[in-house]
Amino acid sequence: MKFLFSIILLLLFAKSDYSQVAPKPYGKLPAPRQLSWQETDMYCIICLDMATFTDQEWCYGDDPASTVNPGDFNAMQIVSAAKAGGFKGVVIVAKHHDGFCLWPTKTTTYNISNSPWRNGKGDMVKEYQLACQKLNMKLGLYCSPWDRNNALYGKPEYVTEIYRRQLEELYANYGPLFMSWHDGANGGTGYYGGARELREIDRSTYYDWDNTFAITRKMQPMASIFGDAGPDVRWVGNEEGHAGETSWETYTPHSKAPGKVPANGTVITEEGTAGTRNGAYWMPAECDVPLRPGWFYHKSEDGQSKSPYTLLDLYYKSVGRGACLDLGLAPDKRGLITDEDLNILKQFKALLDETFSVNLAKDAIFKASNVRGKNPTRYGLKNLVDNDSYSYWATDDAVVHPELLIDLHFPRTFNVIRLRENIKLGQRIDSVGIDAYLDGTWKEIARATSIGATRLIRLANNVTARKIRLRLFSPVCITLSDFGLFKEPVHLTPPLISRDQSGYVSVTSEAPVASIHYTTDGAEPSLSSPVYTTPFLLLSGGAVKARSFDGEQTSPVTNRVFDHSKTGWRIINTERGTDRNYTNITDENPHTIYQRKIKDTTITFEPEAVDVDMGKVNEIKAFTYLPRQDRQMDGVVDRYTFYISNDGSQWKELVSGEFSNIKSNPIEQVINLKQPVQVRYFRFTGQHVLKGNSISIAELGIQ
Ligand code: FUL
């Protein structure tokens, strides 16, 4: 009898023990440093360096150290601005491609101690570190591998004696770091200690990443390493701040090992956007995007920062797609974030708080088709609303298509759905379907693929329902850690502003609104600004700002900066037979391009000129080149010359240079002239293209 009793006890114990068995992890898993990176959600990359003072995006490496002098530099103000936007960390550009170091390094004299800032006694990286400590913000560092100043760049000694020593100095003196950021832009023309030449390197072998990253691992084990292809965090493949609609946390890069780019030097960027289902490495995406058009401060870009509403949209498309958002902040020449940018950051945080502070499903009644081991304590549904990303609802191993019913007690209105997996057990779920019980039947309201760390589904319209149903599809049992329903307050969408070829500006709204008000003098549109009724003429260019109003509501402001109008412009060197699409250069349509199609790929690129007759003499303060906007690289010019002429036959060279970073951030390139010129004709010559054998142009313009 006693024996039988023990057997029963044993069986019972074994059963309850079985119910405690956690699901087996699935696929590749995040390392502790990657979990901590993922929890950061949003951080800012701070770009204040030589380029701030030369008004460029990349410097050549030959500007004197004395150029850098941010008189009012205040790391607390900068890091506080990031914090005010809801960001949890900052990545500091400690050295950009020009090689200038913001800390007093022993590796080169091209550093902050040879600038007038703080009388040569300053250490900007230290000031950032202290500010981060005070403000409880995470700190990461960016030290550009490419160094256009250093004479040794391109030789093995640069890697062993300069770059690695710089990383060691940073790791030893400014930790703890949550990120070590390694830029993919590498090799090209530069000063290189006076050689002023082109130095190409093999990006997959030159830096010997295995040994370089071994230093990071040893000295900053909790720093996630960012690179085009990881190894810890991958580049999402664009500088627009969004991951793909499907974006997996795992990734198999087309290179021999993570952290190494392929031998041809390019990561296939679309892959970074989507990742790889069941990929070979846990390597989630970072979505980087500057708040202003460029990464560094340019006065000419004042008023063009992204609106709080645009940032919210990017939040859904980055954090809401399992990635992290890395927003570029550009302190100005004083060394401060401008009031305009600070206000945008604060308003963005307010939008996030308004939307996400109340989870409408918090007190709902949840019913699932299965709970693992019938053990609601450990794997039950209350874990879905406890704000802990690692406590979770799990199903039995055999249950891979479970359903979850959510009863909200009474009909509630929502427009955002949030789901999270406990990623400590891998990315398991393939897809979900979400239904609402409406008018007596279940109606599908959303579908999504990759979930991972966070999936936010923003519905096109409000849904009001009491009962919701979640259908999950997974190759293995699920481990869902969060379910949330939120109501993003209604916003009027910002108006759309466009200009036609004859110079008339139209302002429209996607949905009907009571009124649209606009300004052309840079002021914020208010109810007392002119009401938009019919298109108006804007020949000389400038900023048009518009905003919709309806009752209590106002939309975000749209700010469109126009070049000088192109009315009456003609391209005059049209003698080449196939030049049919020349008109696309001046049609004010960013989506049509000019390009000569040279099918014979054995014909190599030759510099190519486009001559513009503006029809009359204009004052030119700046030239503009808009590259193609379809993310193709074919024909995108990265080195240019502009000429001017009074008669269309005698040309005088005016300015030449490079379009820095055009590959990753293909925005309108503005070449400001030192002195305005008065001419009727100008010539644009593409001296070099990123790809292909002819130039492509979306628009040319003047300001
Ligand atoms: C890019 C760089 O080339 C930009 O200048 C900037 O530093 C950005 C964060 O990364 O690839």
Side-chain angles (χ1 to χ4, degrees):
M1 186 62 196
K2 204 172 162 203
F3 177 69
L4 200 65
F5 185 67
S6 335
I7 294 275
I8 290 170
L9 262 186
L10 203 72
L11 278 175
L12 275 175
F13 180 74
K15 180 151 191 312
S16 64
D17 190 42
Y18 164 75
S19 69
Q20 298 297 326
V21 174
K24 271 206 207 90
Y26 178 73
K28 295 294 166 193
L29 303 178
R33 61 179 171 273
Q34 291 171 306
L35 285 174
S36 138
W37 170 84
Q38 192 82 59
E39 288 159 17
T40 314
D41 273 348
M42 305 197 299
Y43 44 89
C44 291
I45 186 162
I46 312 291
C47 299
L48 165 66
D49 206 331
M50 184 63 81
T52 311
F53 300 91
T54 61
D55 203 9
Q56 283 168 295
E57 279 291 287
W58 291 354
C59 302
Y60 196 67
D62 60 352
D63 302 287
S66 58
T67 316
V68 175
N69 193 9
D72 300 321
F73 176 80
N74 186 337
M76 283 295 281
Q77 192 264 3
I78 297 168
V79 181
S80 302
K83 191 168 175 159
F87 295 82
K88 296 190 205 138
V90 290
V91 174
I92 305 298
V93 172
K95 167 190 146 186
H96 204 241
H97 309 323
D98 51 68
F100 185 79
C101 297
L102 294 179
W103 76 102
T105 173
K106 295 200 175 72
T107 59
T108 171
T109 55
Y110 201 48
N111 77 56
I112 198 77
S113 63
N114 289 311
S115 81
W117 185 71
R118 307 256 193 271
N119 295 320
K121 304 260 178 305
D123 180 343
M124 226 179 259
V125 183
K126 187 50 89 187
E127 293 192 20
Y128 281 119
Q129 182 202 27
L130 296 176
C132 285
Q133 283 168 4
K134 280 199 192 116
L135 294 164
N136 194 20
M137 292 279 277
K138 295 186 186 183
L139 175 68
L141 291 175
Y142 167 122
C143 181
S144 169
W146 185 20
D147 189 323
R148 300 174 103 179
N149 171 267
N150 206 287
L152 293 174
Y153 186 79
K155 300 198 175 112
E157 298 80 61
Y158 166 75
V159 177
T160 52
E161 302 309 320
I162 308 292
Y163 182 53
R164 286 190 187 151
R165 299 292 84 80
Q166 292 176 343
L167 292 177
E168 283 168 357
E169 287 180 1
L170 292 171
Y171 295 158
N173 298 316
Y174 305 97
L177 303 180
F178 87 106
M179 276 193 99
S180 188
W181 216 98
H182 301 264
D183 202 307
N186 273 300
T189 56
Y191 172 69
Y192 303 127
R196 295 187 185 278
E197 60 190 11
L198 178 73
R199 292 193 183 170
E200 306 274 22
I201 48 114
D202 180 341
R203 296 170 57 192
S204 62
T205 54
Y206 179 57
Y207 297 102
D208 179 13
W209 286 122
D210 288 345
N211 286 312
T212 303
F213 291 152
I215 303 172
T216 321
R217 293 286 188 247
K218 190 163 156 235
M219 297 183 72
Q220 290 294 334
M222 281 304 280
S224 281
I225 300 175
F226 168 92
D228 281 0
D232 294 326
V233 176
R234 70 178 194 264
W235 184 42
V236 78
N238 62 64
E239 290 187 355
E240 290 157 11
H242 56 82
E245 171 61 51
T246 296
S247 179
W248 302 104
E249 312 284 22
T250 54
Y251 180 41
T252 310
H254 272 77
S255 58
K256 286 190 204 99
K260 290 181 178 173
V261 291
N264 68 6
T266 42
V267 166
I268 303 171
T269 50
E270 294 77 24
E271 285 184 1
T273 313
T276 317
R277 179 58 170 146
N278 301 318
Y281 303 94
W282 184 271
M283 205 193 289
E286 179 203 91
C287 301
D288 61 337
V289 59
L291 175 60
R292 303 167 67 88
W295 290 99
F296 286 88
Y297 178 80
H298 309 289
K299 190 154 183 32
S300 59
E301 291 178 357
D302 281 352
Q304 293 186 57
S305 296
K306 294 179 180 61
S307 71
Y309 193 78
T310 303
L311 296 183
L312 182 66
D313 184 50
L314 293 179
Y315 177 81
Y316 285 108
K317 291 174 175 162
S318 56
V319 175
R321 292 177 179 176
C324 281
L325 175 63
D326 179 5
L327 182 71
L329 298 186
D332 61 15
K333 287 188 186 182
R334 299 170 303 165
L336 298 171
I337 299 291
T338 62
D339 288 347
E340 181 199 354
D341 288 355
L342 179 59
N343 282 333
I344 291 170
L345 292 168
K346 286 182 180 162
Q347 289 171 45
F348 167 52
K349 169 80 164 43
L351 285 178
L352 285 178
D353 290 347
E354 269 182 88
T355 306
F356 291 103
S357 50
V358 179
N359 181 355
L360 301 168
K362 178 119 186 50
D363 299 315
I365 303 168
F366 290 95
K367 266 192 206 140
S369 57
N370 174 276
V371 170
R372 189 173 184 81
K374 298 204 177 78
N375 184 346
T377 319
R378 184 137 176 217
Y379 302 116
L381 303 167
K382 64 171 184 358
N383 293 333
L384 292 171
V385 282
D386 66 354
N387 257 332
D388 176 345
S389 300
Y390 305 119
S391 72
Y392 57 101
W393 161 46
T395 52
D396 286 324
D397 285 348
V399 180
V400 296
H401 297 162
E403 281 187 13
L404 177 70
L405 288 178
I406 303 116
D407 182 345
L408 300 170
H409 303 286
F410 56 93
R412 307 201 74 163
T413 302
F414 58 91
N415 51 21
V416 178
I417 302 163
R418 187 177 70 198
L419 298 166
R420 289 178 170 146
E421 291 183 81
N422 171 15
I423 56 171
K424 283 186 182 170
L425 295 171
Q427 182 158 30
R428 311 166 76 92
I429 297 170
D430 279 329
S431 67
V432 297
I434 299 151
D435 312 316
Y437 198 67
L438 299 166
D439 302 325
T441 98
W442 287 109
K443 189 169 169 268
E444 185 174 88
I445 53 168
R447 258 182 219 203
T449 48
S450 48
I451 309 296
T454 302
R455 161 64 75 168
L456 295 171
I457 304 168
R458 193 187 202 185
L459 303 173
N461 297 304
N462 289 346
V463 171
T464 303
R466 173 176 166 174
K467 287 182 184 165
I468 315 294
R469 182 171 70 183
L470 186 62
R471 290 169 286 120
L472 295 147
F473 304 91
S474 171
V476 285
C477 68
I478 58 108
T479 63
L480 194 74
S481 73
D482 182 87
F483 179 84
L485 294 175
F486 302 93
K487 170 79 176 41
E488 184 189 319
V490 179
H491 308 283
L492 295 186
T493 52
L496 304 169
I497 307 178
S498 60
R499 187 174 65 177
D500 67 16
Q501 250 177 311
S502 43
Y504 278 91
V505 174
S506 303
V507 187
T508 51
S509 169
E510 276 172 0
V513 286
S515 60
I516 301 176
H517 296 254
Y518 72 97
T519 62
T520 52
D521 59 1
E524 289 293 284
S526 66
L527 278 169
S528 48
S529 313
V531 181
Y532 174 80
T533 45
T534 47
F536 57 90
L537 199 58
L538 187 80
L539 287 178
S540 56
V544 177
K545 289 187 176 181
R547 172 181 250 170
S548 298
F549 293 82
D550 207 332
E552 297 280 282
Q553 287 182 41
T554 57
S555 77
V557 175
T558 304
N559 179 17
R560 191 74 208 265
V561 180
F562 290 103
D563 291 349
H564 196 286
S565 155
K566 297 165 197 170
T567 315
W569 286 24
R570 278 188 323 122
I571 309 298
I572 50 174
N573 56 338
T574 51
E575 63 280 358
R576 296 188 210 96
T578 55
D579 297 340
R580 297 262 167 83
N581 52 15
Y582 261 120
T583 50
N584 291 341
I585 298 175
T586 54
D587 66 356
E588 301 263 13
N589 181 347
H591 304 295
T592 56
I593 62 164
Y594 155 76
Q595 186 170 28
R596 267 190 312 150
K597 296 269 177 300
I598 305 178
K599 292 219 174 78
D600 182 350
T601 49
T602 60
I603 298 176
T604 53
F605 175 78
E606 294 273 344
E608 188 184 337
V610 167
D611 297 350
V612 182
D613 174 4
M614 298 185 285
K616 64 179 178 59
V617 174
N618 279 319
E619 183 179 76
I620 305 179
K621 297 195 195 89
F623 288 109
T624 63
Y625 165 69
L626 183 75
R628 58 193 305 163
Q629 297 294 293
D630 57 3
R631 295 209 65 83
Q632 302 298 313
M633 297 297 150
D634 194 11
V636 171
V637 175
D638 63 345
R639 277 185 245 145
Y640 65 87
T641 308
F642 280 98
Y643 302 80
I644 48 172
S645 167
N646 283 315
D647 57 9
S649 63
Q650 300 288 315
W651 296 94
K652 182 178 153 221
E653 182 177 330
L654 194 64
V655 56
S656 59
E658 70 174 11
F659 294 132
S660 314
N661 205 28
I662 197 168
K663 187 172 175 190
S664 301
N665 190 16
I667 56 173
E668 182 180 71
Q669 308 290 307
V670 182
I671 307 302
N672 289 306
L673 302 179
K674 290 201 178 93
Q675 297 286 327
V677 290
Q678 314 263 346
V679 280
R680 173 167 165 176
Y681 303 86
F682 73 87
R683 167 180 287 173
F684 168 72
T685 302
Q687 302 286 9
H688 185 260
V689 287
L690 291 175
K691 197 178 158 195
N693 54 9
S694 61
I695 64 171
S696 62
I697 301 172
E699 290 291 309
L700 285 178
I702 61 163
Q703 292 180 347

